[in-house]
Amino acid sequence: MIKSKELIISPKVSNKSVASFLSQIKQEGISTIYADPKNVGKYRDGFNIIYPSDEADSVVCRDIQNISKVKNSGKLAGYYIKVTGKKDEDKIVQAASNGADFVIVDANDWKIIPLENIIAKLQKTSTKVYTMAGSADEVR
């Protein structure tokens, strides 16, 4: 089994530092950021912007019903969910069935996330699974 990791950065810098920060991460080969397109502004060139905004390249939906609307607009559609229990696995599978290009799985306690189950259930789909981490130590 091949493990692949894609790092998506959510810039936590002042508006004054955005240009410099984006230039640095672009040099590091990071091409996807989770940020409000309005805050990135003219510096967004060369980045895939993921955000719950119609102005983003990849639109994050918090309602499964909005996935098809986003897909019909020609953009990539994702689904964000805060996982608190088993019922959320079903919502993730439903989002994939509705055409989500990616799902963002978020949880405070990684021990309660049946991440392996989610990956297994989505294995035969083209839906990517992204998880959130608060620091680099969490992704090791």
Side-chain angles (χ1 to χ4, degrees):
M1 174 195 228
I2 296 173
K3 291 183 178 182
S4 74
K5 290 184 181 179
E6 180 179 352
L7 184 61
I8 301 169
I9 300 285
S10 180
K12 302 292 186 207
V13 297
S14 69
N15 288 343
K16 205 163 118 177
S17 302
V18 167
S20 173
F21 180 79
L22 294 179
S23 175
Q24 288 175 359
I25 65 170
K26 190 181 283 186
Q27 289 176 5
E28 295 294 327
I30 296 169
S31 60
T32 305
I33 58 175
Y34 185 94
D36 187 339
K38 293 174 186 169
N39 294 341
V40 176
K42 64 183 179 182
Y43 307 109
R44 76 182 286 163
D45 190 40
F47 287 103
N48 172 31
I49 308 291
I50 296 178
Y51 204 71
S53 165
D54 291 337
E55 295 176 34
D57 303 305
S58 300
V59 180
V60 177
C61 302
R62 297 204 181 233
D63 182 347
I64 292 173
Q65 308 313 320
N66 291 337
I67 293 170
S68 59
K69 176 184 162 199
V70 171
K71 298 281 289 183
N72 289 338
S73 75
K75 295 188 177 202
L76 295 178
Y79 177 65
Y80 169 89
I81 186 164
K82 180 96 170 158
V83 175
T84 58
K86 180 88 171 140
K87 68 183 181 336
D88 296 322
E89 276 185 54
D90 297 332
K91 290 179 185 177
I92 291 167
V93 171
Q94 183 183 356
S97 296
N98 283 17
D101 297 293
F102 60 94
V103 292
I104 300 173
V105 180
D106 185 10
N108 290 336
D109 182 357
W110 286 98
K111 293 175 184 166
I112 66 161
I113 294 184
L115 197 53
E116 289 179 2
N117 292 343
I118 292 167
I119 292 168
K121 288 178 181 182
L122 299 184
Q123 186 170 295
K124 294 183 180 180
T125 72
S126 60
T127 304
K128 290 182 178 184
V129 178
Y130 297 132
T131 59
M132 299 181 71
S135 70
D137 290 333
E138 286 186 50
V139 295
R140 290 187 183 143

